[in-house]
Each structure stands twice: as C-alpha cells, then as structure tokens.
Amino acid sequence: MAAETLFDKIWSQHIVYQESPDKAALIYIDRHYIHEVTSPQAFEGLRQAGRRVRRPDLTLAVMDHNVPTSDRSLPIHDEIARRQMEQLAINCREFDVPLFDLHHPDQGIVHIIGPEMGFTQPGMTIVCGDSHTSTHGAFGAWAFGIGTSEVEHVLATQTLWQSRPKTMEVRFVGQRPPGTTAKDMILALIRQIGVAGATGYVIEYTGDAVSKLSMEERMTLCNMSIEAGARAGMISPDETTIAYLASRPYTPKGAALEETRQRWLALATDPGAQFDRVVEVDISQLAPMVTWGTNPEMSAPITERVPDPADEPDPVRREMMKKALQYMGLTPGTPLSEIPIQRVFIGSCTNGRLEDLERAARVIQGHHVAPGVRAMAVPGSGRVKRAAEEKGLDRIFREAGFEWREPGCSMCLGMNEDILAPGERSASTSNRNFEGRQGRGGRTHLVSPEMAAAAAITGHLTDVRSLSSEVLQ
Amino acid sequence: MKEFVRHTGLVAPLNRSNVDTDQIIPKQFLKRIERTGFGQFLFFDWRFDDDGHPRPDFILNQPPYNTATILLAGANFGCGSSREHAPWALADFGFRAIIAPSFADIFYNNCFENGLLPVILPDEAVSRLFQLAEKEPVTLTIDLEAGTIREAQGRFSSEFEVNPERRQKLLKGLDSIGETLLHEEAIAAYENTHHLVSLPSL
C-alpha cells in the first residue's frame, strides 16, 4: 500500500459519500463542540425547519466565550451575554445536547476541556464554530473551525461537505534553545510564511523538536495554525500522545486502551509519504518572539527593534507596516525590550493550560508585578484551575500581585468585561493582535507565558532569559 | 437562501490586505442570538469614532459608496475568527459580492452559505479595478452563470471561476442541509459500520 500521511488516513476513513475523487466529499464528523456565541442561530435554524440534532451523543456544548471570569456567585451584569448563555442552556435542554454550563466544575474553554477530558482522540474529525479548533490536531485529529451555517449542518446531519485540502509538512529543524517555547516556534513559522502562508492547506508539524514537545505544548503549536491561514494543524500520534490520553477521564482503560493504542499509533504518517508542500523552519537560533504589529506575522525576536517601514521594499507591505505601527503607537528603531506595558494576560486556548501557568509561575515566584501594571491569570478550565491550586500556583500569582480568575476565554477576545482601555498596551499569551481584538484601541503584544510573566514584573516587554540579571540589579 | 445569478452594483474600494473578521464585525456585537441586523455594526471601529460619530474619511461613510453592493478588497480578506457574523454583517449592509485576490478559507465558505459571492481575481486585475474605482464611482455587473465581470463603460472585464458545486448552490439558492439529507442512507450506513465514540451523559 502506498505510504500515506496522517491526514490521508483520516480523510479516507471519514468519507460518507463522494461522487468522484475530484468532487467535494461528504465527511462524517466524530466530534462537534459548540459554544454560546456561534450556535444560537444554528439551533434557531433547526427549530424553524423542524429538524433535530442527529447525534447529541457526539456533540458537546460549553459556555466559554463571554462568561465572566470574576466571582461566579454574583449575577452576570452583561444582560445580552446572559441571554446568550441562557439560550445555549435552553437549546441544549430542548435538543438533548450535553452542556458544561457556567457552574459546572469542569467548565472552561472548549479547546482545553475537549482534550483534558479525553473527548478529543486521535483519528477523529472534530469541528467547532471557532477557528482555534485546530488545537485538537495535536492529538492526530483533523480539527477545524466552521461558521454557524455549518454548525447547523453538522447538528442536523453529523456531516460536512469538504473539498480535499492540500497537505503541508512544516518541519522544525534543529533543537529548541533554552528559554524558548512552542509559542515562539509557531510565531516564528507565521513570521516566515505569513498570515496567509498556509491557506488551503492542512499542516502536519514534524521534526525532532516537535516529537519532544509535551501534549500541552503541541496544543499551543496546533492552536495557532489558523493564524497562518491553515485549514488545520496536526501532529502524528506517538507515545507522548498515548501517555497523555491514558490518564484522561473518558479514554479507554486497561485492555481496551491496549487495542486502541495500536490503532492510534498506526495513524501516524508513514515513512516516505508525500506532502503537497514542505516548509522547513530552522529553530536552532530561535529567541523568544514578540509581535509588534496588528497581525500575528508582524513579530520579531525580543532582542530586535521595532522595524522601520522605510526598509520594506514592497509598497503594499510598507503601507501595512505604517498603519500597524501607527495603531500600535510605536516608533521604528525602538528596542522591543523597551516597550512599556500596562496589562498582562496569561490564559486562553493557546496558553491557558497547567504547564503554561507553571512556567509563568516559575518566572514570577518571589517577584512582584511592576507598579502601574494590571496582570491577570485566567486558567483555561475548572480542572486546570484546581490542579494549579493544588500546586499552590494561585498563591504565587496572587502574592506577585496577579488577579487569579475563573476559567473562560476572557481577554483573548474581550467579549466579557476583561478588556483593554483605548491606548492600553498588553503582553498577552493569546493568539491574535488584531486592531481592537482585546478592546477598542487596545494594543496587544503576543508572547509566551514566560515572556508575559517577565513583562509583568518589569513593566515592559522583557527577554525572559535576561530577567534574572535585570531584577537582581 | 437568497440566490445569486447576476448582479449589477456600485463598487466600494477598500484597499487593505488581511482584513480580519474582528474588523468586519468587532466582538461586542456577537452577543445577539438573531441572524439579522448586523449591518449597522459592519466595520464598526473603522466607520465610527470613539463617540459613535461616522468617520468621514471611511469609504462606506461617503456617498455614493454607502450604497455600494460590491466590495473590492486586498488579499486574504476575512482572515481570523470563524464568526459568520462577518458575512451576515456584509450581506445585511447590502453587499452581494466581494472581489479580492484571495480569501481566508472559513470566511470564503461562510459567504456561500449566505448568498454572498466571493470572487477571486488575479492581483493584476484587482489592481486595475482599484485604480478605476478609487478615481470615480464604478459600476460592475457580475454574472455568476457566465462567470464574467464587466464594468458598465467597458473599461474592465474579466472572467472568474467558482467551484461548480458551490456555483450551482448559489445560482439556485439551495439549502445545503436539505441536499445533504438526500444522502441519508449513506450517512446511516456509515454510522452502522464505524465505531463512533459517544460522549458520556453529563
């Protein structure tokens, strides 16, 4: 049999119907995650057409996007957000869909709950009305974001029409230097290929540096695939995948796990399998990355300076850089490490897992947030929060002057009250630095959890590798 | 769904690349549970200043462009968030088609679900259109059936392609769920022959 990629295998295993190989295929969906913001109109569509949810048992609803991250025993101030959450609860009751509501102990960000509960498994097709669904690809699943009409389509039919995407191997070459993270790897890739560099492709991440990543780091990597325009990002299952899944509440155990394990490992890309395109990213000289502009490709190593549009030969790009720097309020030539920040956000589906909080906590332990900086740590889920508290991380964050908050998407997209004021500047572990993303007029610098922690302590963007010397001075 | 066969309308040039869906409709307007009424929030932060007054320098605030039905934009239009509120806002504002050198995948899919035609033209053709449309108001006729675009005074014409299945769907304004359910037997057969992992009841 011809050598196949992980994607090839999942694709062929999920075709329900295809008239001919050049036509779109009807693809079966193994998991459908839904949340309060992109589902109400889909349920309304079902209701109007008198349709039911075909497979509630393969569907999971979560409240995450606009939930408050402050005290949950208090009433929700935002009337419209409350209505949207209530509507999700009504829809789930009416259509029999399981729901993690605001008060469920395991509530959290859908892309964190799915994997940590063991709902996300290798070889699955997974969709959600959210572009960061690519996160689940870390498990060797084909996971992608869809719009609300497609949410309705999946609810009604448990399938989607898909044209076969092209495949791209992103091969990380070299060893990841100390002090750098999966976040820096993905930001470096997006800087190299651009925000539309992978449009139309499903990415598979390969290379020794990827194999050595933990599952939580792999999720960070796959999470931001969409920021390069990719349809999905994925990593072949290996022993790291199996070890993570073995300890999850809803995965097979004992003899069943042994049988499943073989099936999962067999999904890995075969030696010699062909991709439509191969991109190499050399990370041997990788440094902590920070964005300076208004999309995720506008980034640079923290050791560099704010770039000068005058040095950009392409007129269209030059204009974009000018606009971005104007919005960001930055002057070309300023060392990135001298940019002051007023807000710090550690959390999101990109970097809101336990390891992220642990790594940030190691940086801030024994230090205090700089005067004039407001810093928030928002665990990605109830489980992450409890595990962090068992390890005493909440104390470290609080003693350092961080707010320790309830789980949710929070300031990543600022649908709740966690937003930047106009002109405020954040070091954020989230995934998008678009204009106004974290609040109208807000200025976002994307960084890793370590870098966000370092910025919180010094009050400016800071190379975490040199932090110890700086704070000792 | 509203069908799209042929449309003649005024072009609004928005010469920016990588216009993300956060710009098309900012998150504070995603809390509605209806599908309609999003047009008033389209490009909100670009259209309105901090006090909510229209910014006179933004194209869609300038007559006659406030009545444009065809949007001309730069590459990678609609990147970022999957929110279908973006095409809902564009359609609700009155747009029927968007012309750009490239689109982000999810946004592109979402357009077809809402009777909004995304037209991909080569960079060079888009540049020529910008030159025309930024000088004076330009009216185009987009014919999906024929796969052609023509400027009213004959100063621009081009052909374009759309995936045949999607084209058919737009031409007829078909409901995709109804179409898919014609394959009910195949779906049921798939479910009977594959091991599906049900979620626990919570």
Side-chain angles (χ1 to χ4, degrees), chain A residues 43 180 246 282 333 345 394 409 413 436:
Chain A
F43 281 108
T180 61
D282 183 357
F345 171 62
D394 56 324
C409 296
L413 84 165

Side-chain angles (χ1 to χ4, degrees), chain A residues 37-68:
Chain A
V37 177
T38 59
S39 69
Q41 295 87 352
F43 281 108
E44 189 52 30
L46 291 186
R47 216 172 265 125
Q48 283 170 7
R51 289 173 175 139
R52 64 194 174 95
V53 174
R54 183 182 182 89
R55 296 296 300 252
D57 61 320
L58 304 181
T59 311
L60 176 73
V62 173
M63 292 180 187
D64 58 4
H65 275 62
N66 61 28
V67 300

Side-chain angles (χ1 to χ4, degrees), chain A residues 154-456:
Chain A
V154 177
L155 288 173
T157 70
Q158 203 59 32
T159 63
L160 267 184
W161 291 99
Q162 288 287 301
S163 304
R164 189 180 178 130
K166 291 176 283 187
T167 56
M168 177 191 290
E169 179 184 10
V170 170
R171 196 183 297 154
F172 286 98
V173 183
Q175 292 305 316
R176 176 163 57 102
T180 61
T181 65
K183 183 67 164 282
D184 303 307
M185 289 166 70
I186 188 68
L187 284 172
L189 168 70
I190 299 165
R191 185 191 197 207
Q192 182 175 322
I193 67 173
V195 288
T199 302
Y201 289 89
V202 166
I203 296 175
E204 181 174 342
Y205 299 101
T206 67
D208 193 41
V210 173
S211 305
K212 285 182 177 158
L213 294 177
S214 70
M215 285 317 294
E216 300 203 350
E217 293 172 315
R218 291 181 190 188
M219 285 188 254
T220 300
L221 195 60
C222 291
N223 171 274
M224 286 187 69
S225 304
I226 181 70
E227 310 315 333
R231 292 268 289 274
M234 58 208 309
I235 295 171
S236 281
D238 60 11
E239 292 298 342
T240 304
T241 322
I242 306 291
Y244 178 98
L245 287 166
S247 65
R248 301 295 128 185
Y250 294 103
T251 46
K253 302 288 182 302
L257 175 64
E258 196 42 44
E259 183 273 324
T260 315
R261 179 177 177 276
Q262 297 306 328
R263 199 158 43 80
W264 284 345
L265 291 175
L267 289 164
T269 290
D270 300 325
Q274 296 293 309
F275 291 87
D276 295 307
R277 191 178 155 201
V278 179
V279 171
E280 281 195 357
V281 184
D282 183 357
I283 54 165
S284 55
Q285 305 299 317
L286 185 68
M289 301 291 287
V290 47
T291 60
W292 50 262
T294 52
N295 73 40
E297 78 179 46
M298 295 174 166
S299 73
I302 181 69
T303 48
E304 293 188 3
R305 290 165 185 268
V306 175
D308 191 341
D311 298 336
E312 171 59 53
D314 179 70
V316 178
R317 293 180 65 88
R318 195 185 313 137
E319 206 44 45
M320 277 168 55
M321 282 175 77
K322 274 189 200 162
K323 275 207 173 93
L325 290 180
Q326 188 185 11
Y327 179 86
M328 292 297 288
L330 293 175
T331 311
T334 310
L336 290 169
S337 60
E338 287 178 10
I339 297 173
I341 50 102
Q342 296 82 44
R343 300 285 295 271
V344 169
F345 171 62
I346 297 178
S348 85
C349 59
T350 311
N351 281 126
R353 285 168 285 268
L354 183 60
E355 288 177 14
D356 298 312
L357 298 174
E358 283 179 311
R359 295 202 314 271
R362 272 202 291 277
V363 174
I364 59 170
Q365 187 152 30
H367 300 299
H368 200 276
V369 167
V373 172
R374 182 178 170 199
M376 287 169 35
V378 183
S381 72
R383 279 181 180 249
V384 169
K385 183 164 186 268
R386 288 195 299 277
E389 287 172 354
E390 275 164 31
K391 289 174 174 257
L393 302 186
D394 56 324
R395 219 186 52 238
I396 296 175
F397 278 108
R398 283 204 177 101
E399 283 173 3
F402 268 79
E403 296 169 30
W404 179 251
R405 299 179 74 98
E406 298 297 325
C409 296
S410 181
M411 217 170 97
C412 173
L413 84 165
M415 275 198 71
N416 63 0
E417 64 272 30
D418 307 344
I419 55 170
L420 296 179
E424 257 189 334
R425 194 181 289 285
S426 74
S428 176
T429 67
S430 53
N431 40 56
R432 287 188 176 133
N433 50 340
F434 296 151
E435 286 182 24
R437 170 80 177 181
Q438 295 190 300
R440 186 179 168 112
R443 294 159 171 167
T444 304
H445 296 276
L446 302 178
V447 288
S448 69
E450 289 88 329
M451 289 285 286

Side-chain angles (χ1 to χ4, degrees), chain A residues 30-31 57-58 119 121 124 250 263, chain B residues 195-199:
Chain A
D30 294 319
R31 278 284 175 276
D57 61 320
L58 304 181
F119 299 151
Q121 295 177 10
M124 283 182 168
Y250 294 103
R263 199 158 43 80
Chain B
H195 175 64
L196 304 171
V197 185
S198 293
L199 290 156

Side-chain angles (χ1 to χ4, degrees), chain A residues 26-27 32 42 46 54 146-161, chain B residues 113 169 175-181 187:
Chain A
L26 190 61
I27 295 290
H32 187 194
L46 291 186
R54 183 182 182 89
I146 56 177
T148 299
S149 296
E150 291 176 311
V151 169
E152 185 181 339
H153 191 280
V154 177
L155 288 173
T157 70
Q158 203 59 32
T159 63
L160 267 184
W161 291 99
Chain B
E113 303 288 348
K169 223 181 94 181
D175 161 24
S176 8
I177 296 177
E179 288 285 289
T180 301
L181 288 174
I187 300 173

